[in-house]
Amino acid sequence: MNKNNLLDCPTFLKDFLFYLETIRGLSSRTVDGYYIDLRTFLRFVKMHKLAAFQNTPFEEIPIADVDIALLKTVTLSDIYEYMYFLTSTRENNAATRARKVTSLRTFYKYLTTKANLLSENPVKDLDVPNKKKSLPKYLTLDQSIQLLEHVDSSYPERDYCILTLFLNCGMRLSELVGIDLKDFADSTVRVTGKGNKERILYLNEACMDALNAYLQVRQNISNNIKDRDALFISRNGKRIDKRRVQQIVSASLKSAGLDQMGYSTHKLRHTAATLMYQQGHVDIRVLKEILGHVNIGTTEIYTHVSNEQIKEASTRSPLAHIHKTEKTKKAED
């Protein structure tokens, strides 16, 4: 959590953010997101409820003086006004509004059931805005192979290993850069996902080959390694950062001629999940554990069918090879 965010927070909001980070175990980045969402909400409450702030530029409305007494006046109707404000004035899309509803729900649940500062929860019956459901972008099997054959790098063993782990394990970017050497045991690796939750991933033959090839090269520069625990290190011997991994993926996509298709580091996670489900026939419940999803509903986006599967299904129809006969032609005449 960015400590600067606490400077303009009322006490109850500071306590809530500390609760998210220390008790719920959420990452600093996620906690900062809650802060931004709730700062917007508290600014709206002051603008909506207090005449003195109706003409104040929205971004200049302070929130440090918001008290529980003001929050007690907030009703479900006020929340609907807030949602309309997000749509019409802030121009937030459905996904952003849905995230802010989640922030409000968590916040008010804390105030009513954890801190016992409020007796009524005005958002308990608030619906989440419908989000547009879009299919995840992913590389085909052939494109994935093409990518692995076009590692554009002065450190090819490391970068090939990074791409191989992404495409075979479906790990998140933050999980990959956080891997330490001690996280490996036999043919498994322990990664730390969202909410500091650990899970074990099994490494197949391709992953083990790529990993062993990289570790041999890594050993050759051991005298220059500063972050000795880190698996993936940069040329200066420090743990590789997220931005550098993104650059590696982008360069390889460009080398493979796939850079104009909207693919990114996270799309490699989508690729791994989709190929496991479609071509590896991995059960969705197993896939949920591999990806580290809390709810199976999140995993279900990977159960979409490809155009090729739709085409194949149509050819399997028992009527697929029935053609017009002389009898049917006469009947038409």
Side-chain angles (χ1 to χ4, degrees), residues 187-208:
S187 58
T188 67
V189 60
R190 181 178 65 245
V191 296
T192 304
K194 290 184 176 180
N196 290 322
K197 294 179 180 177
E198 295 183 348
R199 70 184 188 280
I200 300 296
L201 297 175
Y202 287 81
L203 303 177
N204 59 26
E205 180 183 346
C207 290
M208 292 301 298

PDB file of all heavy atoms in Angstrom, residues 187-208:
ATOM      1  N   SER A 187      10.190 -31.959 -10.030  1.00  0.00           N
ATOM      2  CA  SER A 187       9.629 -31.368 -11.254  1.00  0.00           C
ATOM      3  C   SER A 187       8.441 -30.475 -10.932  1.00  0.00           C
ATOM      4  O   SER A 187       7.470 -30.419 -11.690  1.00  0.00           O
ATOM      5  CB  SER A 187       9.199 -32.474 -12.220  1.00  0.00           C
ATOM      6  OG  SER A 187       8.246 -33.317 -11.603  1.00  0.00           O
ATOM      7  N   THR A 188       8.503 -29.756  -9.802  1.00  0.00           N
ATOM      8  CA  THR A 188       7.436 -28.828  -9.430  1.00  0.00           C
ATOM      9  C   THR A 188       8.025 -27.470  -9.078  1.00  0.00           C
ATOM     10  O   THR A 188       9.217 -27.356  -8.770  1.00  0.00           O
ATOM     11  CB  THR A 188       6.628 -29.335  -8.208  1.00  0.00           C
ATOM     12  OG1 THR A 188       7.477 -29.328  -7.043  1.00  0.00           O
ATOM     13  CG2 THR A 188       6.086 -30.723  -8.451  1.00  0.00           C
ATOM     14  N   VAL A 189       7.175 -26.461  -9.134  1.00  0.00           N
ATOM     15  CA  VAL A 189       7.571 -25.120  -8.704  1.00  0.00           C
ATOM     16  C   VAL A 189       6.427 -24.524  -7.897  1.00  0.00           C
ATOM     17  O   VAL A 189       5.256 -24.706  -8.233  1.00  0.00           O
ATOM     18  CB  VAL A 189       7.921 -24.218  -9.912  1.00  0.00           C
ATOM     19  CG1 VAL A 189       6.729 -24.049 -10.858  1.00  0.00           C
ATOM     20  CG2 VAL A 189       8.400 -22.839  -9.445  1.00  0.00           C
ATOM     21  N   ARG A 190       6.769 -23.845  -6.826  1.00  0.00           N
ATOM     22  CA  ARG A 190       5.771 -23.165  -5.994  1.00  0.00           C
ATOM     23  C   ARG A 190       5.714 -21.703  -6.410  1.00  0.00           C
ATOM     24  O   ARG A 190       6.736 -21.021  -6.469  1.00  0.00           O
ATOM     25  CB  ARG A 190       6.151 -23.263  -4.518  1.00  0.00           C
ATOM     26  CG  ARG A 190       5.132 -22.601  -3.585  1.00  0.00           C
ATOM     27  CD  ARG A 190       5.504 -22.744  -2.116  1.00  0.00           C
ATOM     28  NE  ARG A 190       6.734 -22.032  -1.813  1.00  0.00           N
ATOM     29  CZ  ARG A 190       7.861 -22.615  -1.421  1.00  0.00           C
ATOM     30  NH1 ARG A 190       7.921 -23.938  -1.313  1.00  0.00           N
ATOM     31  NH2 ARG A 190       8.937 -21.903  -1.156  1.00  0.00           N
ATOM     32  N   VAL A 191       4.514 -21.221  -6.735  1.00  0.00           N
ATOM     33  CA  VAL A 191       4.335 -19.817  -7.109  1.00  0.00           C
ATOM     34  C   VAL A 191       3.365 -19.173  -6.129  1.00  0.00           C
ATOM     35  O   VAL A 191       2.527 -19.836  -5.521  1.00  0.00           O
ATOM     36  CB  VAL A 191       3.804 -19.661  -8.560  1.00  0.00           C
ATOM     37  CG1 VAL A 191       4.811 -20.201  -9.556  1.00  0.00           C
ATOM     38  CG2 VAL A 191       2.452 -20.341  -8.730  1.00  0.00           C
ATOM     39  N   THR A 192       3.505 -17.863  -5.990  1.00  0.00           N
ATOM     40  CA  THR A 192       2.634 -17.098  -5.093  1.00  0.00           C
ATOM     41  C   THR A 192       1.726 -16.226  -5.923  1.00  0.00           C
ATOM     42  O   THR A 192       2.190 -15.332  -6.649  1.00  0.00           O
ATOM     43  CB  THR A 192       3.461 -16.234  -4.131  1.00  0.00           C
ATOM     44  OG1 THR A 192       4.373 -17.061  -3.405  1.00  0.00           O
ATOM     45  CG2 THR A 192       2.545 -15.502  -3.150  1.00  0.00           C
ATOM     46  N   GLY A 193       0.421 -16.491  -5.864  1.00  0.00           N
ATOM     47  CA  GLY A 193      -0.549 -15.776  -6.685  1.00  0.00           C
ATOM     48  C   GLY A 193      -1.236 -14.653  -5.958  1.00  0.00           C
ATOM     49  O   GLY A 193      -0.707 -14.099  -4.979  1.00  0.00           O
ATOM     50  N   LYS A 194      -2.417 -14.296  -6.416  1.00  0.00           N
ATOM     51  CA  LYS A 194      -3.166 -13.201  -5.828  1.00  0.00           C
ATOM     52  C   LYS A 194      -3.507 -13.511  -4.377  1.00  0.00           C
ATOM     53  O   LYS A 194      -3.799 -14.655  -4.027  1.00  0.00           O
ATOM     54  CB  LYS A 194      -4.462 -12.962  -6.624  1.00  0.00           C
ATOM     55  CG  LYS A 194      -4.226 -12.371  -8.007  1.00  0.00           C
ATOM     56  CD  LYS A 194      -5.553 -12.065  -8.690  1.00  0.00           C
ATOM     57  CE  LYS A 194      -5.337 -11.372 -10.030  1.00  0.00           C
ATOM     58  NZ  LYS A 194      -6.616 -11.065 -10.703  1.00  0.00           N
ATOM     59  N   GLY A 195      -3.467 -12.461  -3.548  1.00  0.00           N
ATOM     60  CA  GLY A 195      -3.769 -12.640  -2.137  1.00  0.00           C
ATOM     61  C   GLY A 195      -2.716 -13.452  -1.411  1.00  0.00           C
ATOM     62  O   GLY A 195      -2.984 -14.033  -0.358  1.00  0.00           O
ATOM     63  N   ASN A 196      -1.481 -13.485  -1.965  1.00  0.00           N
ATOM     64  CA  ASN A 196      -0.370 -14.234  -1.376  1.00  0.00           C
ATOM     65  C   ASN A 196      -0.685 -15.726  -1.206  1.00  0.00           C
ATOM     66  O   ASN A 196      -0.166 -16.379  -0.301  1.00  0.00           O
ATOM     67  CB  ASN A 196       0.022 -13.635  -0.013  1.00  0.00           C
ATOM     68  CG  ASN A 196       0.670 -12.276  -0.159  1.00  0.00           C
ATOM     69  OD1 ASN A 196       1.436 -12.035  -1.084  1.00  0.00           O
ATOM     70  ND2 ASN A 196       0.350 -11.363   0.746  1.00  0.00           N
ATOM     71  N   LYS A 197      -1.533 -16.244  -2.081  1.00  0.00           N
ATOM     72  CA  LYS A 197      -1.877 -17.662  -2.017  1.00  0.00           C
ATOM     73  C   LYS A 197      -0.888 -18.471  -2.844  1.00  0.00           C
ATOM     74  O   LYS A 197      -0.666 -18.180  -4.019  1.00  0.00           O
ATOM     75  CB  LYS A 197      -3.310 -17.878  -2.525  1.00  0.00           C
ATOM     76  CG  LYS A 197      -4.364 -17.247  -1.621  1.00  0.00           C
ATOM     77  CD  LYS A 197      -5.766 -17.465  -2.175  1.00  0.00           C
ATOM     78  CE  LYS A 197      -6.806 -16.828  -1.272  1.00  0.00           C
ATOM     79  NZ  LYS A 197      -8.182 -16.974  -1.818  1.00  0.00           N
ATOM     80  N   GLU A 198      -0.317 -19.480  -2.221  1.00  0.00           N
ATOM     81  CA  GLU A 198       0.661 -20.322  -2.891  1.00  0.00           C
ATOM     82  C   GLU A 198      -0.012 -21.528  -3.538  1.00  0.00           C
ATOM     83  O   GLU A 198      -1.018 -22.029  -3.040  1.00  0.00           O
ATOM     84  CB  GLU A 198       1.720 -20.800  -1.895  1.00  0.00           C
ATOM     85  CG  GLU A 198       2.578 -19.690  -1.324  1.00  0.00           C
ATOM     86  CD  GLU A 198       3.658 -20.220  -0.401  1.00  0.00           C
ATOM     87  OE1 GLU A 198       3.588 -21.418  -0.023  1.00  0.00           O
ATOM     88  OE2 GLU A 198       4.573 -19.456  -0.051  1.00  0.00           O
ATOM     89  N   ARG A 199       0.563 -21.978  -4.652  1.00  0.00           N
ATOM     90  CA  ARG A 199       0.106 -23.224  -5.264  1.00  0.00           C
ATOM     91  C   ARG A 199       1.292 -23.894  -5.946  1.00  0.00           C
ATOM     92  O   ARG A 199       2.309 -23.238  -6.233  1.00  0.00           O
ATOM     93  CB  ARG A 199      -1.030 -22.977  -6.261  1.00  0.00           C
ATOM     94  CG  ARG A 199      -0.650 -22.257  -7.541  1.00  0.00           C
ATOM     95  CD  ARG A 199      -1.892 -21.993  -8.389  1.00  0.00           C
ATOM     96  NE  ARG A 199      -1.568 -21.485  -9.709  1.00  0.00           N
ATOM     97  CZ  ARG A 199      -1.252 -20.219  -9.961  1.00  0.00           C
ATOM     98  NH1 ARG A 199      -1.220 -19.345  -8.988  1.00  0.00           N
ATOM     99  NH2 ARG A 199      -0.976 -19.843 -11.193  1.00  0.00           N
ATOM    100  N   ILE A 200       1.173 -25.167  -6.161  1.00  0.00           N
ATOM    101  CA  ILE A 200       2.237 -25.956  -6.768  1.00  0.00           C
ATOM    102  C   ILE A 200       1.895 -26.239  -8.223  1.00  0.00           C
ATOM    103  O   ILE A 200       0.786 -26.689  -8.540  1.00  0.00           O
ATOM    104  CB  ILE A 200       2.434 -27.289  -6.021  1.00  0.00           C
ATOM    105  CG1 ILE A 200       2.808 -27.032  -4.561  1.00  0.00           C
ATOM    106  CG2 ILE A 200       3.496 -28.144  -6.704  1.00  0.00           C
ATOM    107  CD1 ILE A 200       4.126 -26.317  -4.370  1.00  0.00           C
ATOM    108  N   LEU A 201       2.838 -25.965  -9.114  1.00  0.00           N
ATOM    109  CA  LEU A 201       2.676 -26.268 -10.534  1.00  0.00           C
ATOM    110  C   LEU A 201       3.662 -27.362 -10.925  1.00  0.00           C
ATOM    111  O   LEU A 201       4.827 -27.343 -10.503  1.00  0.00           O
ATOM    112  CB  LEU A 201       2.930 -25.017 -11.382  1.00  0.00           C
ATOM    113  CG  LEU A 201       1.969 -23.834 -11.187  1.00  0.00           C
ATOM    114  CD1 LEU A 201       2.423 -22.644 -12.009  1.00  0.00           C
ATOM    115  CD2 LEU A 201       0.551 -24.225 -11.566  1.00  0.00           C
ATOM    116  N   TYR A 202       3.192 -28.298 -11.710  1.00  0.00           N
ATOM    117  CA  TYR A 202       4.045 -29.389 -12.182  1.00  0.00           C
ATOM    118  C   TYR A 202       4.667 -29.003 -13.526  1.00  0.00           C
ATOM    119  O   TYR A 202       3.990 -28.458 -14.400  1.00  0.00           O
ATOM    120  CB  TYR A 202       3.243 -30.685 -12.302  1.00  0.00           C
ATOM    121  CG  TYR A 202       2.904 -31.280 -10.954  1.00  0.00           C
ATOM    122  CD1 TYR A 202       1.833 -30.805 -10.211  1.00  0.00           C
ATOM    123  CD2 TYR A 202       3.707 -32.295 -10.410  1.00  0.00           C
ATOM    124  CE1 TYR A 202       1.540 -31.331  -8.955  1.00  0.00           C
ATOM    125  CE2 TYR A 202       3.425 -32.829  -9.165  1.00  0.00           C
ATOM    126  CZ  TYR A 202       2.341 -32.340  -8.440  1.00  0.00           C
ATOM    127  OH  TYR A 202       2.066 -32.862  -7.194  1.00  0.00           O
ATOM    128  N   LEU A 203       5.943 -29.281 -13.655  1.00  0.00           N
ATOM    129  CA  LEU A 203       6.684 -28.898 -14.849  1.00  0.00           C
ATOM    130  C   LEU A 203       6.825 -30.105 -15.777  1.00  0.00           C
ATOM    131  O   LEU A 203       7.322 -31.166 -15.365  1.00  0.00           O
ATOM    132  CB  LEU A 203       8.070 -28.372 -14.462  1.00  0.00           C
ATOM    133  CG  LEU A 203       8.066 -27.183 -13.482  1.00  0.00           C
ATOM    134  CD1 LEU A 203       9.491 -26.792 -13.119  1.00  0.00           C
ATOM    135  CD2 LEU A 203       7.310 -25.992 -14.078  1.00  0.00           C
ATOM    136  N   ASN A 204       6.393 -29.921 -17.015  1.00  0.00           N
ATOM    137  CA  ASN A 204       6.503 -31.012 -17.984  1.00  0.00           C
ATOM    138  C   ASN A 204       7.909 -31.061 -18.575  1.00  0.00           C
ATOM    139  O   ASN A 204       8.800 -30.292 -18.199  1.00  0.00           O
ATOM    140  CB  ASN A 204       5.432 -30.877 -19.070  1.00  0.00           C
ATOM    141  CG  ASN A 204       5.530 -29.557 -19.821  1.00  0.00           C
ATOM    142  OD1 ASN A 204       6.598 -28.949 -19.912  1.00  0.00           O
ATOM    143  ND2 ASN A 204       4.403 -29.104 -20.353  1.00  0.00           N
ATOM    144  N   GLU A 205       8.096 -31.959 -19.528  1.00  0.00           N
ATOM    145  CA  GLU A 205       9.426 -32.176 -20.109  1.00  0.00           C
ATOM    146  C   GLU A 205       9.974 -30.914 -20.762  1.00  0.00           C
ATOM    147  O   GLU A 205      11.157 -30.571 -20.600  1.00  0.00           O
ATOM    148  CB  GLU A 205       9.339 -33.311 -21.132  1.00  0.00           C
ATOM    149  CG  GLU A 205      10.665 -33.639 -21.807  1.00  0.00           C
ATOM    150  CD  GLU A 205      10.513 -34.734 -22.860  1.00  0.00           C
ATOM    151  OE1 GLU A 205       9.463 -35.406 -22.867  1.00  0.00           O
ATOM    152  OE2 GLU A 205      11.444 -34.901 -23.653  1.00  0.00           O
ATOM    153  N   ALA A 206       9.122 -30.197 -21.482  1.00  0.00           N
ATOM    154  CA  ALA A 206       9.571 -28.982 -22.165  1.00  0.00           C
ATOM    155  C   ALA A 206      10.045 -27.939 -21.158  1.00  0.00           C
ATOM    156  O   ALA A 206      11.071 -27.272 -21.368  1.00  0.00           O
ATOM    157  CB  ALA A 206       8.442 -28.421 -23.022  1.00  0.00           C
ATOM    158  N   CYS A 207       9.310 -27.800 -20.065  1.00  0.00           N
ATOM    159  CA  CYS A 207       9.680 -26.822 -19.035  1.00  0.00           C
ATOM    160  C   CYS A 207      11.000 -27.205 -18.373  1.00  0.00           C
ATOM    161  O   CYS A 207      11.870 -26.351 -18.148  1.00  0.00           O
ATOM    162  CB  CYS A 207       8.592 -26.730 -17.977  1.00  0.00           C
ATOM    163  SG  CYS A 207       7.062 -25.966 -18.533  1.00  0.00           S
ATOM    164  N   MET A 208      11.168 -28.485 -18.053  1.00  0.00           N
ATOM    165  CA  MET A 208      12.387 -28.932 -17.387  1.00  0.00           C
ATOM    166  C   MET A 208      13.602 -28.768 -18.296  1.00  0.00           C
ATOM    167  O   MET A 208      14.682 -28.342 -17.835  1.00  0.00           O
ATOM    168  CB  MET A 208      12.244 -30.393 -16.955  1.00  0.00           C
ATOM    169  CG  MET A 208      11.227 -30.609 -15.838  1.00  0.00           C
ATOM    170  SD  MET A 208      11.608 -29.675 -14.326  1.00  0.00           S
ATOM    171  CE  MET A 208      13.204 -30.381 -13.880  1.00  0.00           C
TER     172      MET A 208
END
